[in-house]
């Protein structure tokens, strides 16, 4: 505006803007890390430059099941249409080779009735009628206008061949549709994981914890949980391993390592010397380039199919010094689960050091708990004092309101000079 009105020269304005832009520090946003497993459980992996594409055709059934629904339906529709057209051509060739088409063209309407016993297929006069007869044979409609005769053994062979091909197409189509609708990952949609994982103290040890639950009443039989850490590492020889997988043991009192997933459970991993998280502190966790993958496997009770649910937690999704709130309560003799608090956490006292430092100096945990207890007592004192102050203010305000509502006494003077008190 000032430059347009010629109050300040335009060259000065441009130079000032350029100088301000140079002074501002340019902060580049940190690029988000590529996840190996998405939160939904899908593998974030792209296969490129696959030269041997024929291997997929060797297992054609699995290829059809893995395709998307629209591609599968297009393939089945085209297979039916192609089979109908192919056998329509064959029926037309049979009729043409036997001379049925010329016979129907040359004979009059009165003489056509006698042709039914000499032709291979009755009323097949053109390719259109041959196509309609092909559909009737394969779909077993049977309108009654066209039918086979005993004149042509070749036509009988074509009929048997078309029936076999139609049965094969129907069997493959039904099998693929059944497998696509009953796939294992459909059941995994109702197996949920907490949005965040937490690290807190449990039984005197730092533990990595997350919550898992099943929304359906039908159970997952022999359910087991596996945890892996995926990170980029470099060997002493200088070899870079972009996806280095490390197993994490799960703290489970049951020897079979199976869980009874009838209600949401908190899966716990004790961070000890065997854990890849042993040397990581709360400060180091922010800069760590790692991903914790959780895999839940089990057998579906209703179908008997093995299912698998997956998720992952990166460093930004791990909350240090938090704990999951309780969501299972007993109401009228029945255990009730509140899924609205499934991923809710609360802050708890936890040392900010690594598990190694905590093992070397156990006093850190005691000091942390003492500080937490003192802060808790101070917060209780402040809360009680605030309550007392609020109650005193409330009482004072009530007294002032009552005093303002009191009716004043009015005195009247009589002619004799006596005072007559009265209230108005």
């Amino acid at each position: 505006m000032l430059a347009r009105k010629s109050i300040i020269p335009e060259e000065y304005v441009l130079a000032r803007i350029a100088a301000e832009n140079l002074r501002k520090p340019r902060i580049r946003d940190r690029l988000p890390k590529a996840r190996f497993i998405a939160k939904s459980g899908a593998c974030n992996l792209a296969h490129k430059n696959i030269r041997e594409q024929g291997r997929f055709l060797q297992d054609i059934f699995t290829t059809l099941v893995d395709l998307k629904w629209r591609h599968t339906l297009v393939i089945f529709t085209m297979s039916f249409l192609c089979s109908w057209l192919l056998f329509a051509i064959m029926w037309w060739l049979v009729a043409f080779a036997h001379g049925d088409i010329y016979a129907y063209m040359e004979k009059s309407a009165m003489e056509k009735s006698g042709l039914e016993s000499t032709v291979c297929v009755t009323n097949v006069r053109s390719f259109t009628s041959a196509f309609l007869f092909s559909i009737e044979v394969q779909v077993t409609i049977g309108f009654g206008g066209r039918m086979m005769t005993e004149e042509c053994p070749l036509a009988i062979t074509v009929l048997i061949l078309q029936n076999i091909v139609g049965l094969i197409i129907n069997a493959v189509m039904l099998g693929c549709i059944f497998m696509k609708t009953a796939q294992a990952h459909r059941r995994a949609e109702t197996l949920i994981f907490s949005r965040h994982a937490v690290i807190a103290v449990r039984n005197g040890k730092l533990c990595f914890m997350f919550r898992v639950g099943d929304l359906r009443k039908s159970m997952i039989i022999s359910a087991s949980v596996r945890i892996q850490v995926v990170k980029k590492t470099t060997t002493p020889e200088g070899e870079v391993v972009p996806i280095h997988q490390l197993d994490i043991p799960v703290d489970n009192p049951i020897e079979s390592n199976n869980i009874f997933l009838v209600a949401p459970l908190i899966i716990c991993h004790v961070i000890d010397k065997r854990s890849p998280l042993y040397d990581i502190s709360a400060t180091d966790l922010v800069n760590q380039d790692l991903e914790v993958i959780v895999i839940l496997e089990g057998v579906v009770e209703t179908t008997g199919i093995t299912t698998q649910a997956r998720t992952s937690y990166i460093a930004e999704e791990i909350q240090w010094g938090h704990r999951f709130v309780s969501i299972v309560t007993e109401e009228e003799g029945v255990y009730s689960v509140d899924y609205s608090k499934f991923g809710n956490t609360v802050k708890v006292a936890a040392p900010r050091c690594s598990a190694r430092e905590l093992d070397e100096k156990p006093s850190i945990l005691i000091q942390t708990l003492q500080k937490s207890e003192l802060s808790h007592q101070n917060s209780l004192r402040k809360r009680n004092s605030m309550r007392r102050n609020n109650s005193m203010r409330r009482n004072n305000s009530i007294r002032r309101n009552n005093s303002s509502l009191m009716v004043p006494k009015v005195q009247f003077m009589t002619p004799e000079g006596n005072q007559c008190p009265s209230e108005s």
Side-chain angles (χ1 to χ4, degrees), residues 50-179:
I50 299 177
R51 297 180 180 180
E52 299 180 2
Q53 298 287 344
R55 293 181 177 270
F56 295 98
L57 296 178
Q58 295 177 3
D59 188 10
I60 186 65
F61 186 78
T62 305
T63 303
L64 292 175
V65 172
D66 290 339
L67 290 176
K68 295 182 179 180
W69 272 106
R70 56 178 179 268
H71 298 156
T72 304
L73 294 177
V74 168
I75 289 174
F76 283 135
T77 303
M78 293 304 298
S79 64
F80 277 115
L81 290 176
C82 292
S83 65
W84 293 341
L85 287 173
L86 176 62
F87 284 100
I89 294 173
M90 296 178 67
W91 287 117
W92 185 84
L93 290 176
V94 168
F96 179 79
H98 194 261
D100 299 344
I101 296 176
Y102 290 105
Y104 275 107
M105 293 174 61
E106 294 176 356
K107 299 294 181 180
S108 61
M110 297 297 296
E111 298 175 347
K112 286 181 181 179
S113 59
L115 293 175
E116 294 180 357
S117 60
T118 58
V119 298
C120 294
V121 181
T122 58
N123 294 326
V124 175
R125 303 182 181 88
S126 61
F127 181 76
T128 303
S129 59
F131 181 75
L132 293 175
F133 181 71
S134 175
I135 296 175
E136 293 177 14
V137 169
Q138 189 163 336
V139 188
T140 64
I141 297 177
F143 291 117
R146 301 172 185 86
M147 62 179 181
M148 291 281 302
T149 62
E150 301 175 357
E151 293 295 325
C152 300
L154 181 60
I156 298 173
T157 305
V158 174
L159 177 66
I160 296 172
L161 182 62
Q162 186 172 4
N163 286 330
I164 294 174
V165 172
L167 289 174
I168 292 174
I169 295 175
N170 290 333
V172 173
M173 180 187 68
L174 292 175
C176 286
I177 291 176
F178 173 76
M179 292 301 297

Side-chain angles (χ1 to χ4, degrees), residues 35 37 197 208 210 227-230 248 277 290-294 311-315 318:
R35 307 177 73 108
I37 299 294
F208 172 85
F210 60 92
I227 308 177
Q228 289 184 346
V229 170
V230 176
I248 292 181
L277 308 176
L290 59 85
E291 181 179 356
V292 181
I293 298 175
V294 179
T311 191
S312 67
Y313 301 99
I314 57 177
I318 302 175

Side-chain angles (χ1 to χ4, degrees), residues 204-387:
K205 296 287 186 179
L206 275 178
C207 298
F208 172 85
M209 293 173 286
F210 60 92
R211 178 173 275 166
V212 60
D214 188 5
L215 299 179
R216 289 187 182 273
K217 290 185 178 180
S218 59
M219 296 177 53
I220 299 295
I221 304 172
S222 301
S224 61
V225 177
R226 293 188 293 114
I227 308 177
Q228 289 184 346
V229 170
V230 176
K231 61 180 180 179
K232 183 179 180 181
T233 59
T234 304
T235 61
E237 294 78 16
E239 180 185 2
V240 178
V241 183
I243 304 176
H244 184 54
Q245 302 181 14
L246 298 172
D247 287 330
I248 292 181
V250 179
D251 184 20
N252 194 349
I254 304 175
E255 296 181 357
S256 60
N257 201 24
N258 293 334
I259 59 175
F260 187 54
L261 196 60
V262 67
L265 298 176
I266 297 177
I267 308 300
C268 177
H269 157 65
V270 179
I271 304 177
D272 52 9
K273 296 180 179 180
R274 301 174 297 170
S275 175
L277 308 176
Y278 189 61
D279 296 323
I280 298 177
S281 63
T283 307
D284 300 334
L285 181 63
V286 181
N287 301 322
Q288 286 293 320
D289 188 11
L290 59 85
E291 181 179 356
V292 181
I293 298 175
V294 179
I295 303 172
L296 172 63
E297 292 180 336
V299 179
V300 182
E301 183 181 19
T302 54
T303 61
I305 300 175
T306 303
T307 185
Q308 185 182 90
R310 300 179 295 267
T311 191
S312 67
Y313 301 99
I314 57 177
E316 289 80 4
E317 296 171 349
I318 302 175
Q319 297 178 346
W320 195 290
H322 283 70
R323 183 175 59 196
F324 289 105
V325 299
S326 178
I327 61 175
V328 180
T329 57
E330 187 176 356
E331 299 177 359
E332 298 179 358
V334 178
Y335 288 99
S336 177
V337 181
D338 186 6
Y339 281 98
S340 63
K341 302 177 182 178
F342 183 80
N344 293 359
T345 60
V346 292
K347 273 192 174 184
V348 294
R352 309 288 293 179
C353 63
S354 63
R356 179 185 292 276
E357 296 176 1
L358 189 62
D359 290 344
E360 294 174 354
K361 298 178 181 179
S363 60
I364 298 176
L365 179 59
I366 300 174
Q367 295 175 1
T368 304
L369 295 178
Q370 290 177 351
K371 291 180 181 179
S372 175
E373 184 67 22
L374 290 175
S375 63
H376 181 65
Q377 291 178 0
N378 293 331
S379 63
L380 287 178
R381 293 194 192 97
K382 291 180 181 179
R383 194 178 303 169
N384 293 331
S385 63
M386 290 177 64
R387 287 178 180 175

